Amino acid sequence: MEKNKDDGSNKEQEEEQVVNPWVVSVKDGGKIDYDKLIDKFGCQRLDQSLIDRVERLTGRSPHVFLRRGVFFAHRDFGEILDSYERGDKFYLYTGRGPSSESLHLGHLIPFLFTKYLQDAFKVPLVIQLTDDEKCMWKNLSVEESQRLARENAKDIIACGFDISRTFIFSDFDYVGGDFYKNMVRVAKCVTYNKAVGIFGFTGEDHIGKVSFPPIQAVPSFPSSFPHLFSGNDRLRCLIPCAIDQDPYFRMTRDVAPRIGYHKPALIESSFFPALQGETGKMNASVPCSAIYVTDSAKQIKDKINRYAFSGGQDSIELHRKHGANLEVDIPIKYLGFFLEDDAELEHIRKEYGAGRMLTGEVKKRLIEVLTDIVERHKRARAAVTDEMVDTFMAVRPLPNMFS
């Protein structure tokens, strides 16, 4: 059975930090302890040897998110690389819960990394839009959830995915047939008590929430997509996601061998912190906590200057003397995600930490970096037509998806 401690036995740790698909919070405004999270969830830390193998197998420099530990944990990623090295292909699966009109930068993290994996390994990808989940959790109407799913699909497509290797689907549109058969197989293997232990459901939660986990589980199984993988039920699946999604796939990995499938492998990221500080992740319902892909250059500048928590000192004199606290400085953390140049990042860290560079200078560089990213994304999204969305979401074979 998959190792995990989400059975209600570790109450003290639960109170210190709560990380699940719906809530990420830390007691008394502390920081997420990712070492504790790895221990609690039972996953493994992504070490340098695996990153080196990715570079060797793909012939590409590791993505900045790998080099800097943004994707820091995994389950069976080494086995995926083993099978790939033997000549066996795999497919990628990731998703998006469409609860807002547009994405913020934190939402982009898994998609930017998934695009890198698709390009580097030349493998197909399925992207699940859980419009049903958001309808149930966010009290949205079915129609509004479906509309948001299409809007979010445009932002996802704008990340540059290969249309010949990518299938995007909405649960409201696609669930049925072989997909639904696998949902029933999973549901029969998970007791209510087990679901409560993993997901923390209470007697106040409606039954729609309790019924949802199999829907997110079964894209891990190739037979859920007969138009793509017919006759290839042993194909392995790799899921890039944030670590708060881990509970879904612990459940899935526990069930998979019992119904005849490989356990899906995972590669998991840390959270992109809110502007106000590293106490969790960006919150789409608090606009000033996040940079959105729809923000103007002025909005980005104002948000960074006004809200981005600084580790600098209270006065220039003290800052020159003591330097910045890089452990809490949000501009430095954001540059760690999005500034491509390793040498420049190290220079900024060194100068800022020594007090030779001021907070305003660091924020200015961050504003430049983020404005460039957002403007490029806007241009790419503006080129995404409704016909392109229809094509990405069409149930169709992808004859060259492994070539």
Side-chain angles (χ1 to χ4, degrees), residues 266-278:
L266 280 79
I267 184 164
E268 301 177 312
S269 72
S270 57
F271 303 119
F272 191 64
L275 285 165
Q276 286 81 357
E278 198 175 18

Side-chain angles (χ1 to χ4, degrees), residues 104-105 275 282 289-293 295 300 303-304 370 374:
H104 59 54
L105 291 182
L275 285 165
M282 278 189 169
S289 77
I291 304 294
Y292 284 83
V293 296
D295 282 349
I300 293 169
K303 284 182 178 181
I304 296 298
L370 296 188
V374 169

Side-chain angles (χ1 to χ4, degrees), residues 154-371:
K154 293 175 183 177
D155 276 319
I156 292 167
I157 292 167
C159 293
F161 292 107
D162 183 346
I163 197 167
S164 70
R165 290 193 174 100
T166 305
F167 173 52
I168 303 175
F169 66 99
S170 120
D171 287 344
F172 278 134
D173 291 337
Y174 186 74
V175 172
D178 292 278
F179 193 100
Y180 185 68
K181 291 173 188 175
N182 278 337
M183 285 170 49
V184 171
R185 292 181 181 115
V186 169
K188 288 175 67 177
C189 292
V190 183
T191 66
Y192 177 71
N193 283 343
K194 182 71 173 176
V196 169
I198 295 172
F199 299 103
F201 295 129
T202 71
E204 301 304 309
D205 286 315
H206 59 67
I207 59 175
K209 293 183 178 182
V210 181
S211 70
F212 177 75
I215 303 174
Q216 188 158 324
V218 302
S220 310
F221 307 142
S223 67
S224 297
F225 305 101
H227 66 288
L228 298 178
F229 308 127
S230 180
N232 202 353
D233 287 356
R234 301 301 292 166
L235 189 66
R236 287 186 174 273
C237 175
L238 173 63
I239 305 169
C241 62
I243 197 166
D244 60 339
Q245 299 300 302
D246 189 89
Y248 282 119
F249 302 114
R250 289 202 305 280
M251 180 197 77
T252 308
R253 285 168 55 85
D254 189 33
V255 170
R258 296 156 64 185
I259 58 176
Y261 296 111
H262 284 301
K263 294 181 177 183
L266 280 79
I267 184 164
E268 301 177 312
S269 72
S270 57
F271 303 119
F272 191 64
L275 285 165
Q276 286 81 357
E278 198 175 18
T279 58
K281 61 179 181 178
M282 278 189 169
N283 188 338
S285 63
V286 184
C288 66
S289 77
I291 304 294
Y292 284 83
V293 296
T294 52
D295 282 349
S296 67
K298 183 180 185 304
Q299 286 174 311
I300 293 169
K301 180 179 179 179
D302 289 347
K303 284 182 178 181
I304 296 298
N305 283 331
R306 184 173 179 183
Y307 297 114
F309 187 82
S310 170
Q313 303 297 329
D314 291 338
S315 68
I316 292 178
E317 182 182 5
L318 287 173
H319 186 81
R320 297 292 191 201
K321 181 177 180 181
H322 298 293
N325 179 356
L326 303 184
E327 290 301 310
V328 301
D329 192 89
I330 289 297
I332 283 290
K333 292 187 183 298
Y334 279 24
L335 287 171
F337 280 82
F338 288 117
L339 181 59
E340 288 278 349
D341 189 323
D342 291 339
E344 184 184 359
L345 178 64
E346 184 55 35
H347 173 77
I348 291 172
R349 289 178 58 87
K350 182 178 178 182
E351 294 299 298
Y352 190 39
R356 291 185 291 269
M357 183 177 276
L358 300 176
T359 297
E361 296 173 277
V362 178
K363 287 188 173 184
K364 181 175 183 293
R365 183 65 182 116
L366 176 62
I367 290 164
E368 293 169 352
V369 170
L370 296 188
T371 301

